[in-house]
Amino acid sequence: MTVVKSTLPDAARQVVGDALQGTLVDLLGLSLIGKQAHWNIVGPRFRSIHLQIDEVVATARTYSDTVAERAATLGIPPDGRPETIATTCALQAPKHGGWIQDTEVVSLLIEALETVIAQLRERIDATDEADRVTQDLLIGLTAELEKHRWMFQAEDWPS
Amino acid sequence: MTVVKSTLPDAARQVVGDALQGTLVDLLGLSLIGKQAHWNIVGPRFRSIHLQIDEVVATARTYSDTVAERAATLGIPPDGRPETIATTCALQAPKHGGWIQDTEVVSLLIEALETVIAQLRERIDATDEADRVTQDLLIGLTAELEKHRWMFQAEDWPS
Amino acid sequence: MTVVKSTLPDAARQVVGDALQGTLVDLLGLSLIGKQAHWNIVGPRFRSIHLQIDEVVATARTYSDTVAERAATLGIPPDGRPETIATTCALQAPKHGGWIQDTEVVSLLIEALETVIAQLRERIDATDEADRVTQDLLIGLTAELEKHRWMFQAEDWPS
Amino acid sequence: MTVVKSTLPDAARQVVGDALQGTLVDLLGLSLIGKQAHWNIVGPRFRSIHLQIDEVVATARTYSDTVAERAATLGIPPDGRPETIATTCALQAPKHGGWIQDTEVVSLLIEALETVIAQLRERIDATDEADRVTQDLLIGLTAELEKHRWMFQAEDWPS
Amino acid sequence: MTVVKSTLPDAARQVVGDALQGTLVDLLGLSLIGKQAHWNIVGPRFRSIHLQIDEVVATARTYSDTVAERAATLGIPPDGRPETIATTCALQAPKHGGWIQDTEVVSLLIEALETVIAQLRERIDATDEADRVTQDLLIGLTAELEKHRWMFQAEDWPS
Amino acid sequence: MTVVKSTLPDAARQVVGDALQGTLVDLLGLSLIGKQAHWNIVGPRFRSIHLQIDEVVATARTYSDTVAERAATLGIPPDGRPETIATTCALQAPKHGGWIQDTEVVSLLIEALETVIAQLRERIDATDEADRVTQDLLIGLTAELEKHRWMFQAEDWPS
Amino acid sequence: MTVVKSTLPDAARQVVGDALQGTLVDLLGLSLIGKQAHWNIVGPRFRSIHLQIDEVVATARTYSDTVAERAATLGIPPDGRPETIATTCALQAPKHGGWIQDTEVVSLLIEALETVIAQLRERIDATDEADRVTQDLLIGLTAELEKHRWMFQAEDWPS
Amino acid sequence: MTVVKSTLPDAARQVVGDALQGTLVDLLGLSLIGKQAHWNIVGPRFRSIHLQIDEVVATARTYSDTVAERAATLGIPPDGRPETIATTCALQAPKHGGWIQDTEVVSLLIEALETVIAQLRERIDATDEADRVTQDLLIGLTAELEKHRWMFQAEDWPS
Amino acid sequence: MTVVKSTLPDAARQVVGDALQGTLVDLLGLSLIGKQAHWNIVGPRFRSIHLQIDEVVATARTYSDTVAERAATLGIPPDGRPETIATTCALQAPKHGGWIQDTEVVSLLIEALETVIAQLRERIDATDEADRVTQDLLIGLTAELEKHRWMFQAEDWPS
Amino acid sequence: MTVVKSTLPDAARQVVGDALQGTLVDLLGLSLIGKQAHWNIVGPRFRSIHLQIDEVVATARTYSDTVAERAATLGIPPDGRPETIATTCALQAPKHGGWIQDTEVVSLLIEALETVIAQLRERIDATDEADRVTQDLLIGLTAELEKHRWMFQAEDWPS
Amino acid sequence: MTVVKSTLPDAARQVVGDALQGTLVDLLGLSLIGKQAHWNIVGPRFRSIHLQIDEVVATARTYSDTVAERAATLGIPPDGRPETIATTCALQAPKHGGWIQDTEVVSLLIEALETVIAQLRERIDATDEADRVTQDLLIGLTAELEKHRWMFQAEDWPS
Amino acid sequence: MTVVKSTLPDAARQVVGDALQGTLVDLLGLSLIGKQAHWNIVGPRFRSIHLQIDEVVATARTYSDTVAERAATLGIPPDGRPETIATTCALQAPKHGGWIQDTEVVSLLIEALETVIAQLRERIDATDEADRVTQDLLIGLTAELEKHRWMFQAEDWPS
């Protein structure tokens, strides 16, 4: 059943749909992992990183809405159900629950951000022909996530 | 490893920890299911319910932070990882992805809210002896969710 | 006809319904009497008390909405029609229309607030078993009205 | 006892006093009936009309203050006590307490607004000679209420 | 030299010009006298009246701008020079400089407001034929000043 | 088909309808011409007049909404379609597209404002009997447009 | 006469000028048609769609300014005069004046938005070589209009 | 001399009075010690903890006002004079004036917060029978202070 | 009659009183002359200077309040009555009423500002011994007025 | 141990340090005594003075931070511990706890403000050679406290 | 030493690094030259252009931060030291210090903006393959600077 | 050519001009060096110091405008061109471009701030006779920079 008609031809719609659905799952996963770190971090840099993570989560939540509504706009129903995230999100959550040392949190965030960024750069290439509007959205998102990655990496340097 | 010491005795800490962890998973699940409906709803009442759901999601997100930080405050590391939500959340997500009729969305939300509320009322009783501060927090959350339930139920009446 | 189903058992619903309906009528009565005094006060303390009364009216109006929507939330249709206020509100309005001396206004407000507070303290006890969420709401309201009473009483002292 | 002297001659003061007192009672009645509908409405258009009614109540409350203070300004003590509303307000409240279907709410509001507007148009004529300042106030109020009436009437059209 | 052409015929322009120029001088005088009282008041009601006067001054300043720009709009250059105020303003300033008792301040303000209001009511009649736009402006100003007068008169009542 | 019933008798409704429809078209025309000048102005006073015109457009847009909704309120469907503006609006747009010298822009705006004001003064007279509420609205609009006209005329003076 | 020199070569300037002028006329037409629907809509979904249309109009007005100033920036005087809109805008206004049923309004908006979007996608391709800055602007506009289209289409589904 | 009459019976008033007076002194002491640390902290985490302490001080100041006014509300004059704080506050201020190392500041704050929290939990139990309104206030305060304690403790972990 | 006691010795009080009273009259005069120019200016720079003057008036009004309240603070009743301004203010108002060319307005403002500044520099010296607090206030005022003077002088340069 | 090096020579540092430490203790004492009066005042002027005191407390709190951080800036660790205030602050707190009549509150505040002002004027002289930056800060503080003193003294006049 | 790893391959990193470093120096130079003109401009258009330049400076400062942080994000340390600007910035500052006539300022700004824009268009092409995210940033910057150029050029037209 | 006449005699103007020009160059240099550190800092305290530096830059930018406009106000054209900064600013920029360790950034900022402060203290003395208004400005600036210095120095303490 196709409810909302797409303004894209079928082939383009398939490519763009994959890019958006993949990004949606990444962003929802990133926001959950970010919050997990926000709550469980311990160590002398607690306050500074506790606050910094919430800015990553804000980016992830805002863009997850933008990405999902872009999919719906193109006639592609987005799927952000808990099971979908758990089974299709490639991001590595902390293996065990419990407190996490502040230096580990920095590594965790850098790794998660690099995973998402790498996939986004592929999707930017993939959507070049298919839909420039979606591509533009992904470029804006990549810029923000790369900036977050820089900030975590700059403070991953030994004192 | 106990990093953050609790101000509660062990027995109380166990009871309160279960209540908060259960509530956290419910709220994270509710926010994901709410967003899924927010994006996939179709039908003549689209706009009205699309906006209304975001108010439920706002409540769920705000309180998930409050609940998780209350757990950390009591020396209980909260667990909101994607797998934990997928395996322990009792809420019923839509069985299939894709568009959802507006009337079905209303039923879906009523059912989800009633499930959370029923568990919260049990947790309010359970924490009465263990920690009044946590109990007060759960009471405030219940008041908000019950008000959301009323609003969806009031519009579930046939025209 | 029961339109909005209650999450409370019948007995509790009866107790809580009475407490909320009684409070609603008190608050609507208080806001009308407060405005009557706000408009008709004369005397050298006119401006100071004219402004102070509007803060009582703001509390009364805000909580009348909260209380009525809490009733609806529990499947109890609230009743705030003019006739219901006129026939069931126990507060004493000024016996005659017309200007009121500022010192009389202070007495009028103290008396009205004490009447509402006394009934609220009974309702807090009555709802303890029936519904802690409603009880919590009434506690918050009592705190605000008692503070207003203090302020009027503190200025009821002779110079 | 005349406390606040009027800047109007006696005859004009009588005419204007009647116009303002009648308008005050209409507005207080409208705000109570509006809130009654706001709380008790059920049906698929619940949310839309629930919000819309609060804009009517806001108009009624703001202007009831303006109207009552205009009366006081002219040396006419306004009377907004509960009994006065119950006995002199011509507006038709819902006959029975309890839930009200959304379509009935729309009819209820249209009827109430038309009653107030009809009386206001007579008062605008009546105050033309007596006090242009009061007349100007009533004209502004009429414009707002007529706009509310249009909006309810436009949605009273069958789908 | 006529720089800004008027949209009114000459006779109307004369009438309206007189009304606006007279009002301008009254408002500038009122704002200066109000400030004089604001700074020199003493007595137990100091703070309450000190604040209240500034609301009168705010009205006077805002409307002096509106009135002067209305005159300019109609091709009538407004005149608010210090000498013009000193020689043509009918308001009674305090005869001597120095501190003023709070009760005297109340009388001073009532008298000044009544003088302006009486002239405004004549100007409202005078502009009825000449320019309804100007008349409407004067009606709005009169409403505000009469409200200020009520408030001072209401507190001129003995305790 | 009469959907929204009017609160005015038929004759008055005709008069008021003509006044409002004519004003609507004038205001929509004024906002389009104003924007055309805002974009195409050149000359040393570019910045000052570029900004000033946007205040005229803001007035025109705000009042076009007020005027159209007043018509709908009275049961008169307003007509602001492109063709209606092009065929019934009396305002003179620039004859040719392209850049416009700043001094010409000032003349263009003065002429356009004077045309609208002259028609508004006739409509104020015409609606005096028919509907004072509409008349009051047109008076307020005239005051704003006349003020804009003064400001352009004041700067139309040679240096 | 070329007043503002272009930073683009002549061929590119021609292509970009056509794209921007066409978009300007589309957006001005869309804002006028949107307002016509905003004022004349009737039916049970009046309030919801009445508000929703104003968001489309806000997009159209904001971008019409951006598009026109981009043209001026490139040395191309934009043309938004009433006649230009009436003769060159391809959007279909309602054929007759008067009230419009809410379901028809939804269809009207979907059709208008789809017309603009289709032309924008062509212009995005056309400006790819000519001016990436203009292309970026058109991409951003398309994203917003496609989102509006989705929302109207999602509620065009039968209940 | 009893000036403000209490709404509580004498026994309850004694219990509640002790709880509120003790809390008031704790909060005033906490705000002074917090500021002392805010000004004298040195070390690499200066900025982060300097800012964090001010949030504790904000909580302490806001609640000291609430607690003192609750006492006054119940007819118990609160006592926050400097001597009273110096002689009855159990919190441990830094023994010597002068700069304090950042790690010591963290320990100082944890200790101070734990002292206040322990006493508050006793007062919550003590006021359960005596006055639920006061108890509710103390519960809210405890929740905030326990959250502050968590944050300092989480950063007391070695790097 | 000395009502408000001064914290200054008599000689200092005399010096400071003269400085403040003189400054008060200057500032009130400046605000009246500024407004006169604000309303009567004509010429191509109308808008730019019309706005600029209001910033001078804002400075003059704000500081007239500060200066007068500083006098009252020191036990010196300030005198800002219309007659006092007309007879003791040294500033030169326009000799005749009526429109003023924009270039003349610039000269008028420069002259008025220079007159006030010259007197302020003398008063800064005079109060050096008498009261540094008053001196500091006059220094701040001088800085603002000198900045206004620069801006008018910078645009007094021929094009 | 000298942690933060001073930019002042030793002699100047001693003088400035004494001035700042003394002022800090005065301001902390003033804020505590002010709050004590804010909470315990009774009498007909309760509301007016209750609000007025909070403005004094706001000044005292803001400047206590500025003063203490100025000391730290100069390498002088400020001392605001409870015992330091209790033993070195010269201000007279109320001798007994409990309610205070409104007229006594006014005297109490005048006396406290005069004590602080007298010491500040000495410190302004003392710091003239030592550090003009600190002197400037103390001048600004004196101006604010003297204004508060005037306001309390102006209302200490019998009615 | 490579501290922050790049997400770009080496060749792309070189290209993008050159584009960003060049843009950074241009923007810092533009902000300094803009301020120089903002302070030294004289002539009748002083105020209008004085304000207009600050909008250019705001764009330059905001984007210099964005551009520098984008470089850091890609592992390229940006260089904005004074010497670097003085030796590598191609923009032409005023040859001599001192006042600048308003018409010269307009020419100076147009020239500076055209220099930056020309280089930006080359960098947009250069980064097309290397990094679309950086390219998108440069496109947005170009759009803003071209708009500033239009505005200065439009007012460079003779009156 | 002297365009803007000075209100100071020539000798004073020379002294004040040197003080202001020197300060301007210092502040512009400080803002550039601060930004260089803001972008290139690495190490575990990255985020905390990255934010802190921007507060120094904000002070430097705000005061550079104030200082330059004070110079212009006194008829002294300020010189802030890139070459002027590069050749006359005494502050030490980082010798090499590239990343900077966080501890080095703290030293860099302390050194730069101390250089500016030392020169400012000399300029405060130098301007004492010449112009108290300028002196007051420099005192305020010194207070802010000394506070920034304290904060960096307080965190330069080993952990």
Side-chain angles (χ1 to χ4, degrees), chain B residues 49-64:
Chain B
I49 298 173
H50 178 76
L51 293 173
Q52 187 175 359
I53 295 170
D54 250 9
E55 297 174 9
V56 176
V57 173
T59 297
R61 283 186 176 167
T62 302
Y63 265 98
S64 69

Side-chain angles (χ1 to χ4, degrees), chain C residues 70-88:
Chain C
R70 179 73 198 155
T73 290
L74 294 171
I76 304 152
D79 187 350
R81 294 172 297 162
E83 290 82 356
T84 309
I85 303 171
T87 54
T88 71

